Amino acid sequence: LKIDNVEWFLPEAPYIIKDAPPIESSNTVTDSNLSRKSWTYKRNDGTWEIDEPVTVLDNFFNEIVFSSYNPSNVYVIGFSQGAAVCYEYVMGIKQSLGGIFPIGGFFFKYSKKKKWVNINNKKTPIIIGHGVKDDIIPIEKSKIAYNQLRKEEANVKFLEYNGGHKISMNYFREIIKVINE
């Protein structure tokens, strides 16, 4: 991405999921744990841990990102499970962000009663992207998110693109417009 004066933070999901299959790749140098990382994990009682990852994300944003940058200059991109983090966590951040860009994602635990977007991010540009041929996360999951965010009167746009569980260059062009405004 050609964007001037940008510093990238690429946080990796902190938990290893033991039953996930490794990524198949023609690249001989692959990390067998790459596809085994998650932003949550299943507890022994069968429930999913949510408090611990929220604390990890709070620390990351407050101690690293917001201590160095004005929140209005912070843009968050999340793909797949990272998009779920955008929905479940980032949109609820109390600081007004520059933009939120979930791609090929889903609500982890959807509830029509829950408000997803913090009042301070109602005007924040949110661009949801999803490939029409995604066989990992159905495009309907992003449509559910889009419709919910519209009900909340968020500044949301939905961009469908050809392709599967990938990110489109057209999508990148759209978010670059927002960042460069």
Side-chain angles (χ1 to χ4, degrees), residues 9 57-74 76 89-90 93-97:
F9 295 91
L57 288 165
D58 280 343
N59 289 339
F60 169 71
F61 277 97
N62 292 320
E63 294 175 16
I64 296 173
V65 179
F66 297 143
S67 68
S68 299
Y69 299 95
N70 182 315
S72 66
N73 292 324
V74 173
V76 180
Y89 176 81
V90 175
I93 288 176
K94 293 180 178 143
Q95 292 88 342
S96 181
L97 301 174

mmCIF file with all atom_site columns, all heavy atoms in Angstrom, residues 9 57-74 76 89-90 93-97:
data_model
loop_
_atom_site.group_PDB
_atom_site.id
_atom_site.type_symbol
_atom_site.label_atom_id
_atom_site.label_alt_id
_atom_site.label_comp_id
_atom_site.label_asym_id
_atom_site.label_entity_id
_atom_site.label_seq_id
_atom_site.pdbx_PDB_ins_code
_atom_site.Cartn_x
_atom_site.Cartn_y
_atom_site.Cartn_z
_atom_site.occupancy
_atom_site.B_iso_or_equiv
_atom_site.pdbx_formal_charge
_atom_site.auth_seq_id
_atom_site.auth_comp_id
_atom_site.auth_asym_id
_atom_site.auth_atom_id
_atom_site.pdbx_PDB_model_num
ATOM 1   N N   . PHE A 1 9  ? 1.177   -1.331 12.570 1.00 0.00 ? 9  PHE A N   1
ATOM 2   C CA  . PHE A 1 9  ? 1.232   -2.261 13.690 1.00 0.00 ? 9  PHE A CA  1
ATOM 3   C C   . PHE A 1 9  ? 0.436   -3.476 13.247 1.00 0.00 ? 9  PHE A C   1
ATOM 4   O O   . PHE A 1 9  ? -0.725  -3.342 12.837 1.00 0.00 ? 9  PHE A O   1
ATOM 5   C CB  . PHE A 1 9  ? 0.587   -1.662 14.949 1.00 0.00 ? 9  PHE A CB  1
ATOM 6   C CG  . PHE A 1 9  ? 1.325   -0.466 15.484 1.00 0.00 ? 9  PHE A CG  1
ATOM 7   C CD1 . PHE A 1 9  ? 0.994   0.813  15.058 1.00 0.00 ? 9  PHE A CD1 1
ATOM 8   C CD2 . PHE A 1 9  ? 2.331   -0.628 16.420 1.00 0.00 ? 9  PHE A CD2 1
ATOM 9   C CE1 . PHE A 1 9  ? 1.668   1.912  15.554 1.00 0.00 ? 9  PHE A CE1 1
ATOM 10  C CE2 . PHE A 1 9  ? 3.007   0.479  16.922 1.00 0.00 ? 9  PHE A CE2 1
ATOM 11  C CZ  . PHE A 1 9  ? 2.672   1.749  16.485 1.00 0.00 ? 9  PHE A CZ  1
ATOM 12  N N   . LEU A 1 57 ? -6.080  -6.351 24.059 1.00 0.00 ? 57 LEU A N   1
ATOM 13  C CA  . LEU A 1 57 ? -6.332  -5.289 23.080 1.00 0.00 ? 57 LEU A CA  1
ATOM 14  C C   . LEU A 1 57 ? -6.353  -3.909 23.733 1.00 0.00 ? 57 LEU A C   1
ATOM 15  O O   . LEU A 1 57 ? -5.826  -2.953 23.167 1.00 0.00 ? 57 LEU A O   1
ATOM 16  C CB  . LEU A 1 57 ? -7.630  -5.566 22.325 1.00 0.00 ? 57 LEU A CB  1
ATOM 17  C CG  . LEU A 1 57 ? -7.546  -6.727 21.334 1.00 0.00 ? 57 LEU A CG  1
ATOM 18  C CD1 . LEU A 1 57 ? -8.941  -7.178 20.909 1.00 0.00 ? 57 LEU A CD1 1
ATOM 19  C CD2 . LEU A 1 57 ? -6.700  -6.351 20.132 1.00 0.00 ? 57 LEU A CD2 1
ATOM 20  N N   . ASP A 1 58 ? -6.971  -3.797 24.916 1.00 0.00 ? 58 ASP A N   1
ATOM 21  C CA  . ASP A 1 58 ? -6.955  -2.515 25.645 1.00 0.00 ? 58 ASP A CA  1
ATOM 22  C C   . ASP A 1 58 ? -5.523  -2.055 25.874 1.00 0.00 ? 58 ASP A C   1
ATOM 23  O O   . ASP A 1 58 ? -5.186  -0.889 25.634 1.00 0.00 ? 58 ASP A O   1
ATOM 24  C CB  . ASP A 1 58 ? -7.653  -2.649 27.005 1.00 0.00 ? 58 ASP A CB  1
ATOM 25  C CG  . ASP A 1 58 ? -9.156  -2.596 26.931 1.00 0.00 ? 58 ASP A CG  1
ATOM 26  O OD1 . ASP A 1 58 ? -9.709  -2.147 25.903 1.00 0.00 ? 58 ASP A OD1 1
ATOM 27  O OD2 . ASP A 1 58 ? -9.802  -3.017 27.920 1.00 0.00 ? 58 ASP A OD2 1
ATOM 28  N N   . ASN A 1 59 ? -4.682  -2.960 26.338 1.00 0.00 ? 59 ASN A N   1
ATOM 29  C CA  . ASN A 1 59 ? -3.281  -2.610 26.599 1.00 0.00 ? 59 ASN A CA  1
ATOM 30  C C   . ASN A 1 59 ? -2.578  -2.200 25.311 1.00 0.00 ? 59 ASN A C   1
ATOM 31  O O   . ASN A 1 59 ? -1.839  -1.216 25.302 1.00 0.00 ? 59 ASN A O   1
ATOM 32  C CB  . ASN A 1 59 ? -2.544  -3.780 27.259 1.00 0.00 ? 59 ASN A CB  1
ATOM 33  C CG  . ASN A 1 59 ? -2.993  -4.013 28.679 1.00 0.00 ? 59 ASN A CG  1
ATOM 34  O OD1 . ASN A 1 59 ? -3.552  -3.132 29.331 1.00 0.00 ? 59 ASN A OD1 1
ATOM 35  N ND2 . ASN A 1 59 ? -2.785  -5.221 29.166 1.00 0.00 ? 59 ASN A ND2 1
ATOM 36  N N   . PHE A 1 60 ? -2.796  -2.930 24.236 1.00 0.00 ? 60 PHE A N   1
ATOM 37  C CA  . PHE A 1 60 ? -2.165  -2.620 22.961 1.00 0.00 ? 60 PHE A CA  1
ATOM 38  C C   . PHE A 1 60 ? -2.561  -1.218 22.486 1.00 0.00 ? 60 PHE A C   1
ATOM 39  O O   . PHE A 1 60 ? -1.705  -0.396 22.165 1.00 0.00 ? 60 PHE A O   1
ATOM 40  C CB  . PHE A 1 60 ? -2.542  -3.660 21.908 1.00 0.00 ? 60 PHE A CB  1
ATOM 41  C CG  . PHE A 1 60 ? -2.152  -3.276 20.507 1.00 0.00 ? 60 PHE A CG  1
ATOM 42  C CD1 . PHE A 1 60 ? -0.825  -3.264 20.117 1.00 0.00 ? 60 PHE A CD1 1
ATOM 43  C CD2 . PHE A 1 60 ? -3.119  -2.905 19.586 1.00 0.00 ? 60 PHE A CD2 1
ATOM 44  C CE1 . PHE A 1 60 ? -0.458  -2.896 18.834 1.00 0.00 ? 60 PHE A CE1 1
ATOM 45  C CE2 . PHE A 1 60 ? -2.767  -2.530 18.297 1.00 0.00 ? 60 PHE A CE2 1
ATOM 46  C CZ  . PHE A 1 60 ? -1.438  -2.531 17.917 1.00 0.00 ? 60 PHE A CZ  1
ATOM 47  N N   . PHE A 1 61 ? -3.861  -0.934 22.463 1.00 0.00 ? 61 PHE A N   1
ATOM 48  C CA  . PHE A 1 61 ? -4.301  0.369  21.968 1.00 0.00 ? 61 PHE A CA  1
ATOM 49  C C   . PHE A 1 61 ? -3.898  1.505  22.896 1.00 0.00 ? 61 PHE A C   1
ATOM 50  O O   . PHE A 1 61 ? -3.398  2.535  22.445 1.00 0.00 ? 61 PHE A O   1
ATOM 51  C CB  . PHE A 1 61 ? -5.814  0.379  21.709 1.00 0.00 ? 61 PHE A CB  1
ATOM 52  C CG  . PHE A 1 61 ? -6.181  -0.186 20.372 1.00 0.00 ? 61 PHE A CG  1
ATOM 53  C CD1 . PHE A 1 61 ? -6.581  -1.504 20.247 1.00 0.00 ? 61 PHE A CD1 1
ATOM 54  C CD2 . PHE A 1 61 ? -6.092  0.590  19.224 1.00 0.00 ? 61 PHE A CD2 1
ATOM 55  C CE1 . PHE A 1 61 ? -6.891  -2.038 19.004 1.00 0.00 ? 61 PHE A CE1 1
ATOM 56  C CE2 . PHE A 1 61 ? -6.402  0.066  17.979 1.00 0.00 ? 61 PHE A CE2 1
ATOM 57  C CZ  . PHE A 1 61 ? -6.803  -1.255 17.872 1.00 0.00 ? 61 PHE A CZ  1
ATOM 58  N N   . ASN A 1 62 ? -4.103  1.339  24.192 1.00 0.00 ? 62 ASN A N   1
ATOM 59  C CA  . ASN A 1 62 ? -3.837  2.439  25.126 1.00 0.00 ? 62 ASN A CA  1
ATOM 60  C C   . ASN A 1 62 ? -2.348  2.680  25.366 1.00 0.00 ? 62 ASN A C   1
ATOM 61  O O   . ASN A 1 62 ? -1.909  3.823  25.417 1.00 0.00 ? 62 ASN A O   1
ATOM 62  C CB  . ASN A 1 62 ? -4.563  2.203  26.442 1.00 0.00 ? 62 ASN A CB  1
ATOM 63  C CG  . ASN A 1 62 ? -6.061  2.302  26.267 1.00 0.00 ? 62 ASN A CG  1
ATOM 64  O OD1 . ASN A 1 62 ? -6.562  3.154  25.537 1.00 0.00 ? 62 ASN A OD1 1
ATOM 65  N ND2 . ASN A 1 62 ? -6.795  1.402  26.909 1.00 0.00 ? 62 ASN A ND2 1
ATOM 66  N N   . GLU A 1 63 ? -1.567  1.623  25.506 1.00 0.00 ? 63 GLU A N   1
ATOM 67  C CA  . GLU A 1 63 ? -0.154  1.772  25.849 1.00 0.00 ? 63 GLU A CA  1
ATOM 68  C C   . GLU A 1 63 ? 0.748   1.965  24.629 1.00 0.00 ? 63 GLU A C   1
ATOM 69  O O   . GLU A 1 63 ? 1.803   2.583  24.739 1.00 0.00 ? 63 GLU A O   1
ATOM 70  C CB  . GLU A 1 63 ? 0.316   0.576  26.665 1.00 0.00 ? 63 GLU A CB  1
ATOM 71  C CG  . GLU A 1 63 ? -0.358  0.507  28.026 1.00 0.00 ? 63 GLU A CG  1
ATOM 72  C CD  . GLU A 1 63 ? -0.007  -0.748 28.811 1.00 0.00 ? 63 GLU A CD  1
ATOM 73  O OE1 . GLU A 1 63 ? 0.986   -1.430 28.455 1.00 0.00 ? 63 GLU A OE1 1
ATOM 74  O OE2 . GLU A 1 63 ? -0.720  -1.045 29.777 1.00 0.00 ? 63 GLU A OE2 1
ATOM 75  N N   . ILE A 1 64 ? 0.338   1.461  23.475 1.00 0.00 ? 64 ILE A N   1
ATOM 76  C CA  . ILE A 1 64 ? 1.206   1.549  22.304 1.00 0.00 ? 64 ILE A CA  1
ATOM 77  C C   . ILE A 1 64 ? 0.662   2.541  21.282 1.00 0.00 ? 64 ILE A C   1
ATOM 78  O O   . ILE A 1 64 ? 1.342   3.482  20.896 1.00 0.00 ? 64 ILE A O   1
ATOM 79  C CB  . ILE A 1 64 ? 1.409   0.157  21.666 1.00 0.00 ? 64 ILE A CB  1
ATOM 80  C CG1 . ILE A 1 64 ? 2.144   -0.752 22.653 1.00 0.00 ? 64 ILE A CG1 1
ATOM 81  C CG2 . ILE A 1 64 ? 2.165   0.257  20.349 1.00 0.00 ? 64 ILE A CG2 1
ATOM 82  C CD1 . ILE A 1 64 ? 2.260   -2.196 22.238 1.00 0.00 ? 64 ILE A CD1 1
ATOM 83  N N   . VAL A 1 65 ? -0.571  2.345  20.863 1.00 0.00 ? 65 VAL A N   1
ATOM 84  C CA  . VAL A 1 65 ? -1.110  3.141  19.759 1.00 0.00 ? 65 VAL A CA  1
ATOM 85  C C   . VAL A 1 65 ? -1.508  4.546  20.220 1.00 0.00 ? 65 VAL A C   1
ATOM 86  O O   . VAL A 1 65 ? -0.985  5.541  19.722 1.00 0.00 ? 65 VAL A O   1
ATOM 87  C CB  . VAL A 1 65 ? -2.295  2.415  19.080 1.00 0.00 ? 65 VAL A CB  1
ATOM 88  C CG1 . VAL A 1 65 ? -2.873  3.254  17.956 1.00 0.00 ? 65 VAL A CG1 1
ATOM 89  C CG2 . VAL A 1 65 ? -1.849  1.047  18.542 1.00 0.00 ? 65 VAL A CG2 1
ATOM 90  N N   . PHE A 1 66 ? -2.436  4.651  21.168 1.00 0.00 ? 66 PHE A N   1
ATOM 91  C CA  . PHE A 1 66 ? -2.952  5.963  21.565 1.00 0.00 ? 66 PHE A CA  1
ATOM 92  C C   . PHE A 1 66 ? -1.945  6.785  22.369 1.00 0.00 ? 66 PHE A C   1
ATOM 93  O O   . PHE A 1 66 ? -2.111  7.994  22.495 1.00 0.00 ? 66 PHE A O   1
ATOM 94  C CB  . PHE A 1 66 ? -4.269  5.832  22.328 1.00 0.00 ? 66 PHE A CB  1
ATOM 95  C CG  . PHE A 1 66 ? -5.382  5.235  21.514 1.00 0.00 ? 66 PHE A CG  1
ATOM 96  C CD1 . PHE A 1 66 ? -6.305  4.380  22.099 1.00 0.00 ? 66 PHE A CD1 1
ATOM 97  C CD2 . PHE A 1 66 ? -5.523  5.512  20.157 1.00 0.00 ? 66 PHE A CD2 1
ATOM 98  C CE1 . PHE A 1 66 ? -7.338  3.833  21.352 1.00 0.00 ? 66 PHE A CE1 1
ATOM 99  C CE2 . PHE A 1 66 ? -6.546  4.966  19.403 1.00 0.00 ? 66 PHE A CE2 1
ATOM 100 C CZ  . PHE A 1 66 ? -7.454  4.117  20.001 1.00 0.00 ? 66 PHE A CZ  1
ATOM 101 N N   . SER A 1 67 ? -0.921  6.155  22.890 1.00 0.00 ? 67 SER A N   1
ATOM 102 C CA  . SER A 1 67 ? 0.117   6.929  23.591 1.00 0.00 ? 67 SER A CA  1
ATOM 103 C C   . SER A 1 67 ? 1.013   7.664  22.589 1.00 0.00 ? 67 SER A C   1
ATOM 104 O O   . SER A 1 67 ? 1.700   8.613  22.956 1.00 0.00 ? 67 SER A O   1
ATOM 105 C CB  . SER A 1 67 ? 0.959   6.021  24.488 1.00 0.00 ? 67 SER A CB  1
ATOM 106 O OG  . SER A 1 67 ? 1.734   5.139  23.706 1.00 0.00 ? 67 SER A OG  1
ATOM 107 N N   . SER A 1 68 ? 0.988   7.228  21.321 1.00 0.00 ? 68 SER A N   1
ATOM 108 C CA  . SER A 1 68 ? 1.834   7.845  20.299 1.00 0.00 ? 68 SER A CA  1
ATOM 109 C C   . SER A 1 68 ? 1.062   8.603  19.226 1.00 0.00 ? 68 SER A C   1
ATOM 110 O O   . SER A 1 68 ? 1.640   9.443  18.545 1.00 0.00 ? 68 SER A O   1
ATOM 111 C CB  . SER A 1 68 ? 2.679   6.771  19.601 1.00 0.00 ? 68 SER A CB  1
ATOM 112 O OG  . SER A 1 68 ? 3.516   6.126  20.518 1.00 0.00 ? 68 SER A OG  1
ATOM 113 N N   . TYR A 1 69 ? -0.222  8.286  19.066 1.00 0.00 ? 69 TYR A N   1
ATOM 114 C CA  . TYR A 1 69 ? -0.988  8.856  17.959 1.00 0.00 ? 69 TYR A CA  1
ATOM 115 C C   . TYR A 1 69 ? -2.348  9.355  18.421 1.00 0.00 ? 69 TYR A C   1
ATOM 116 O O   . TYR A 1 69 ? -2.987  8.745  19.281 1.00 0.00 ? 69 TYR A O   1
ATOM 117 C CB  . TYR A 1 69 ? -1.207  7.810  16.856 1.00 0.00 ? 69 TYR A CB  1
ATOM 118 C CG  . TYR A 1 69 ? 0.088   7.328  16.274 1.00 0.00 ? 69 TYR A CG  1
ATOM 119 C CD1 . TYR A 1 69 ? 0.684   6.176  16.741 1.00 0.00 ? 69 TYR A CD1 1
ATOM 120 C CD2 . TYR A 1 69 ? 0.735   8.068  15.292 1.00 0.00 ? 69 TYR A CD2 1
ATOM 121 C CE1 . TYR A 1 69 ? 1.897   5.749  16.226 1.00 0.00 ? 69 TYR A CE1 1
ATOM 122 C CE2 . TYR A 1 69 ? 1.954   7.642  14.775 1.00 0.00 ? 69 TYR A CE2 1
ATOM 123 C CZ  . TYR A 1 69 ? 2.521   6.478  15.255 1.00 0.00 ? 69 TYR A CZ  1
ATOM 124 O OH  . TYR A 1 69 ? 3.720   6.080  14.749 1.00 0.00 ? 69 TYR A OH  1
ATOM 125 N N   . ASN A 1 70 ? -2.776  10.444 17.812 1.00 0.00 ? 70 ASN A N   1
ATOM 126 C CA  . ASN A 1 70 ? -4.133  10.938 18.023 1.00 0.00 ? 70 ASN A CA  1
ATOM 127 C C   . ASN A 1 70 ? -5.081  9.879  17.461 1.00 0.00 ? 70 ASN A C   1
ATOM 128 O O   . ASN A 1 70 ? -4.892  9.432  16.327 1.00 0.00 ? 70 ASN A O   1
ATOM 129 C CB  . ASN A 1 70 ? -4.305  12.264 17.278 1.00 0.00 ? 70 ASN A CB  1
ATOM 130 C CG  . ASN A 1 70 ? -5.664  12.872 17.483 1.00 0.00 ? 70 ASN A CG  1
ATOM 131 O OD1 . ASN A 1 70 ? -6.686  12.206 17.422 1.00 0.00 ? 70 ASN A OD1 1
ATOM 132 N ND2 . ASN A 1 70 ? -5.669  14.165 17.721 1.00 0.00 ? 70 ASN A ND2 1
ATOM 133 N N   . PRO A 1 71 ? -6.098  9.460  18.216 1.00 0.00 ? 71 PRO A N   1
ATOM 134 C CA  . PRO A 1 71 ? -7.011  8.425  17.724 1.00 0.00 ? 71 PRO A CA  1
ATOM 135 C C   . PRO A 1 71 ? -7.631  8.730  16.358 1.00 0.00 ? 71 PRO A C   1
ATOM 136 O O   . PRO A 1 71 ? -7.885  7.816  15.572 1.00 0.00 ? 71 PRO A O   1
ATOM 137 C CB  . PRO A 1 71 ? -8.090  8.353  18.808 1.00 0.00 ? 71 PRO A CB  1
ATOM 138 C CG  . PRO A 1 71 ? -7.391  8.796  20.041 1.00 0.00 ? 71 PRO A CG  1
ATOM 139 C CD  . PRO A 1 71 ? -6.416  9.858  19.585 1.00 0.00 ? 71 PRO A CD  1
ATOM 140 N N   . SER A 1 72 ? -7.832  10.014 16.041 1.00 0.00 ? 72 SER A N   1
ATOM 141 C CA  . SER A 1 72 ? -8.419  10.344 14.740 1.00 0.00 ? 72 SER A CA  1
ATOM 142 C C   . SER A 1 72 ? -7.465  10.038 13.587 1.00 0.00 ? 72 SER A C   1
ATOM 143 O O   . SER A 1 72 ? -7.880  10.026 12.430 1.00 0.00 ? 72 SER A O   1
ATOM 144 C CB  . SER A 1 72 ? -8.849  11.810 14.693 1.00 0.00 ? 72 SER A CB  1
ATOM 145 O OG  . SER A 1 72 ? -7.723  12.655 14.769 1.00 0.00 ? 72 SER A OG  1
ATOM 146 N N   . ASN A 1 73 ? -6.207  9.762  13.898 1.00 0.00 ? 73 ASN A N   1
ATOM 147 C CA  . ASN A 1 73 ? -5.222  9.374  12.892 1.00 0.00 ? 73 ASN A CA  1
ATOM 148 C C   . ASN A 1 73 ? -4.940  7.870  12.908 1.00 0.00 ? 73 ASN A C   1
ATOM 149 O O   . ASN A 1 73 ? -3.963  7.410  12.327 1.00 0.00 ? 73 ASN A O   1
ATOM 150 C CB  . ASN A 1 73 ? -3.913  10.130 13.098 1.00 0.00 ? 73 ASN A CB  1
ATOM 151 C CG  . ASN A 1 73 ? -4.068  11.599 12.817 1.00 0.00 ? 73 ASN A CG  1
ATOM 152 O OD1 . ASN A 1 73 ? -4.808  11.986 11.928 1.00 0.00 ? 73 ASN A OD1 1
ATOM 153 N ND2 . ASN A 1 73 ? -3.391  12.427 13.588 1.00 0.00 ? 73 ASN A ND2 1
ATOM 154 N N   . VAL A 1 74 ? -5.791  7.117  13.607 1.00 0.00 ? 74 VAL A N   1
ATOM 155 C CA  . VAL A 1 74 ? -5.628  5.662  13.706 1.00 0.00 ? 74 VAL A CA  1
ATOM 156 C C   . VAL A 1 74 ? -6.688  4.990  12.844 1.00 0.00 ? 74 VAL A C   1
ATOM 157 O O   . VAL A 1 74 ? -7.876  5.280  12.960 1.00 0.00 ? 74 VAL A O   1
ATOM 158 C CB  . VAL A 1 74 ? -5.742  5.194  15.178 1.00 0.00 ? 74 VAL A CB  1
ATOM 159 C CG1 . VAL A 1 74 ? -5.748  3.674  15.276 1.00 0.00 ? 74 VAL A CG1 1
ATOM 160 C CG2 . VAL A 1 74 ? -4.615  5.785  16.011 1.00 0.00 ? 74 VAL A CG2 1
ATOM 161 N N   . VAL A 1 76 ? -7.939  1.101  11.530 1.00 0.00 ? 76 VAL A N   1
ATOM 162 C CA  . VAL A 1 76 ? -7.811  -0.307 11.885 1.00 0.00 ? 76 VAL A CA  1
ATOM 163 C C   . VAL A 1 76 ? -8.378  -1.158 10.754 1.00 0.00 ? 76 VAL A C   1
ATOM 164 O O   . VAL A 1 76 ? -9.532  -0.985 10.346 1.00 0.00 ? 76 VAL A O   1
ATOM 165 C CB  . VAL A 1 76 ? -8.543  -0.626 13.210 1.00 0.00 ? 76 VAL A CB  1
ATOM 166 C CG1 . VAL A 1 76 ? -8.400  -2.104 13.562 1.00 0.00 ? 76 VAL A CG1 1
ATOM 167 C CG2 . VAL A 1 76 ? -8.011  0.252  14.339 1.00 0.00 ? 76 VAL A CG2 1
ATOM 168 N N   . TYR A 1 89 ? -14.703 -5.412 19.121 1.00 0.00 ? 89 TYR A N   1
ATOM 169 C CA  . TYR A 1 89 ? -13.900 -4.579 20.008 1.00 0.00 ? 89 TYR A CA  1
ATOM 170 C C   . TYR A 1 89 ? -13.674 -3.162 19.468 1.00 0.00 ? 89 TYR A C   1
ATOM 171 O O   . TYR A 1 89 ? -14.016 -2.181 20.129 1.00 0.00 ? 89 TYR A O   1
ATOM 172 C CB  . TYR A 1 89 ? -12.543 -5.247 20.277 1.00 0.00 ? 89 TYR A CB  1
ATOM 173 C CG  . TYR A 1 89 ? -11.629 -4.390 21.107 1.00 0.00 ? 89 TYR A CG  1
ATOM 174 C CD1 . TYR A 1 89 ? -11.762 -4.340 22.487 1.00 0.00 ? 89 TYR A CD1 1
ATOM 175 C CD2 . TYR A 1 89 ? -10.651 -3.607 20.515 1.00 0.00 ? 89 TYR A CD2 1
ATOM 176 C CE1 . TYR A 1 89 ? -10.946 -3.528 23.252 1.00 0.00 ? 89 TYR A CE1 1
ATOM 177 C CE2 . TYR A 1 89 ? -9.829  -2.794 21.268 1.00 0.00 ? 89 TYR A CE2 1
ATOM 178 C CZ  . TYR A 1 89 ? -9.980  -2.757 22.634 1.00 0.00 ? 89 TYR A CZ  1
ATOM 179 O OH  . TYR A 1 89 ? -9.175  -1.944 23.392 1.00 0.00 ? 89 TYR A OH  1
ATOM 180 N N   . VAL A 1 90 ? -13.106 -3.045 18.292 1.00 0.00 ? 90 VAL A N   1
ATOM 181 C CA  . VAL A 1 90 ? -12.649 -1.751 17.785 1.00 0.00 ? 90 VAL A CA  1
ATOM 182 C C   . VAL A 1 90 ? -13.785 -0.748 17.651 1.00 0.00 ? 90 VAL A C   1
ATOM 183 O O   . VAL A 1 90 ? -13.638 0.420  18.024 1.00 0.00 ? 90 VAL A O   1
ATOM 184 C CB  . VAL A 1 90 ? -11.895 -1.927 16.441 1.00 0.00 ? 90 VAL A CB  1
ATOM 185 C CG1 . VAL A 1 90 ? -11.522 -0.584 15.850 1.00 0.00 ? 90 VAL A CG1 1
ATOM 186 C CG2 . VAL A 1 90 ? -10.656 -2.796 16.638 1.00 0.00 ? 90 VAL A CG2 1
ATOM 187 N N   . ILE A 1 93 ? -14.558 1.123  20.804 1.00 0.00 ? 93 ILE A N   1
ATOM 188 C CA  . ILE A 1 93 ? -13.550 1.992  21.424 1.00 0.00 ? 93 ILE A CA  1
ATOM 189 C C   . ILE A 1 93 ? -14.153 3.381  21.634 1.00 0.00 ? 93 ILE A C   1
ATOM 190 O O   . ILE A 1 93 ? -14.859 3.898  20.778 1.00 0.00 ? 93 ILE A O   1
ATOM 191 C CB  . ILE A 1 93 ? -12.280 2.059  20.534 1.00 0.00 ? 93 ILE A CB  1
ATOM 192 C CG1 . ILE A 1 93 ? -11.525 0.726  20.604 1.00 0.00 ? 93 ILE A CG1 1
ATOM 193 C CG2 . ILE A 1 93 ? -11.376 3.216  20.951 1.00 0.00 ? 93 ILE A CG2 1
ATOM 194 C CD1 . ILE A 1 93 ? -10.313 0.661  19.697 1.00 0.00 ? 93 ILE A CD1 1
ATOM 195 N N   . LYS A 1 94 ? -13.860 3.979  22.784 1.00 0.00 ? 94 LYS A N   1
ATOM 196 C CA  . LYS A 1 94 ? -14.460 5.277  23.127 1.00 0.00 ? 94 LYS A CA  1
ATOM 197 C C   . LYS A 1 94 ? -13.835 6.445  22.377 1.00 0.00 ? 94 LYS A C   1
ATOM 198 O O   . LYS A 1 94 ? -14.439 7.493  22.260 1.00 0.00 ? 94 LYS A O   1
ATOM 199 C CB  . LYS A 1 94 ? -14.369 5.501  24.629 1.00 0.00 ? 94 LYS A CB  1
ATOM 200 C CG  . LYS A 1 94 ? -15.239 4.529  25.391 1.00 0.00 ? 94 LYS A CG  1
ATOM 201 C CD  . LYS A 1 94 ? -15.159 4.729  26.878 1.00 0.00 ? 94 LYS A CD  1
ATOM 202 C CE  . LYS A 1 94 ? -16.086 3.744  27.541 1.00 0.00 ? 94 LYS A CE  1
ATOM 203 N NZ  . LYS A 1 94 ? -15.600 3.212  28.767 1.00 0.00 ? 94 LYS A NZ  1
ATOM 204 N N   . GLN A 1 95 ? -12.623 6.287  21.856 1.00 0.00 ? 95 GLN A N   1
ATOM 205 C CA  . GLN A 1 95 ? -11.986 7.345  21.094 1.00 0.00 ? 95 GLN A CA  1
ATOM 206 C C   . GLN A 1 95 ? -12.499 7.314  19.653 1.00 0.00 ? 95 GLN A C   1
ATOM 207 O O   . GLN A 1 95 ? -12.780 6.255  19.109 1.00 0.00 ? 95 GLN A O   1
ATOM 208 C CB  . GLN A 1 95 ? -10.457 7.167  21.078 1.00 0.00 ? 95 GLN A CB  1
ATOM 209 C CG  . GLN A 1 95 ? -9.804  7.367  22.415 1.00 0.00 ? 95 GLN A CG  1
ATOM 210 C CD  . GLN A 1 95 ? -9.755  6.081  23.246 1.00 0.00 ? 95 GLN A CD  1
ATOM 211 O OE1 . GLN A 1 95 ? -10.457 5.127  23.000 1.00 0.00 ? 95 GLN A OE1 1
ATOM 212 N NE2 . GLN A 1 95 ? -8.922  6.091  24.268 1.00 0.00 ? 95 GLN A NE2 1
ATOM 213 N N   . SER A 1 96 ? -12.611 8.499  19.060 1.00 0.00 ? 96 SER A N   1
ATOM 214 C CA  . SER A 1 96 ? -13.054 8.612  17.670 1.00 0.00 ? 96 SER A CA  1
ATOM 215 C C   . SER A 1 96 ? -11.884 8.284  16.743 1.00 0.00 ? 96 SER A C   1
ATOM 216 O O   . SER A 1 96 ? -10.892 8.996  16.714 1.00 0.00 ? 96 SER A O   1
ATOM 217 C CB  . SER A 1 96 ? -13.561 10.033 17.418 1.00 0.00 ? 96 SER A CB  1
ATOM 218 O OG  . SER A 1 96 ? -14.012 10.151 16.102 1.00 0.00 ? 96 SER A OG  1
ATOM 219 N N   . LEU A 1 97 ? -12.017 7.193  15.988 1.00 0.00 ? 97 LEU A N   1
ATOM 220 C CA  . LEU A 1 97 ? -10.938 6.720  15.119 1.00 0.00 ? 97 LEU A CA  1
ATOM 221 C C   . LEU A 1 97 ? -11.039 7.336  13.730 1.00 0.00 ? 97 LEU A C   1
ATOM 222 O O   . LEU A 1 97 ? -12.073 7.864  13.341 1.00 0.00 ? 97 LEU A O   1
ATOM 223 C CB  . LEU A 1 97 ? -10.997 5.192  15.006 1.00 0.00 ? 97 LEU A CB  1
ATOM 224 C CG  . LEU A 1 97 ? -10.873 4.421  16.327 1.00 0.00 ? 97 LEU A CG  1
ATOM 225 C CD1 . LEU A 1 97 ? -11.082 2.933  16.097 1.00 0.00 ? 97 LEU A CD1 1
ATOM 226 C CD2 . LEU A 1 97 ? -9.523  4.680  16.970 1.00 0.00 ? 97 LEU A CD2 1
#
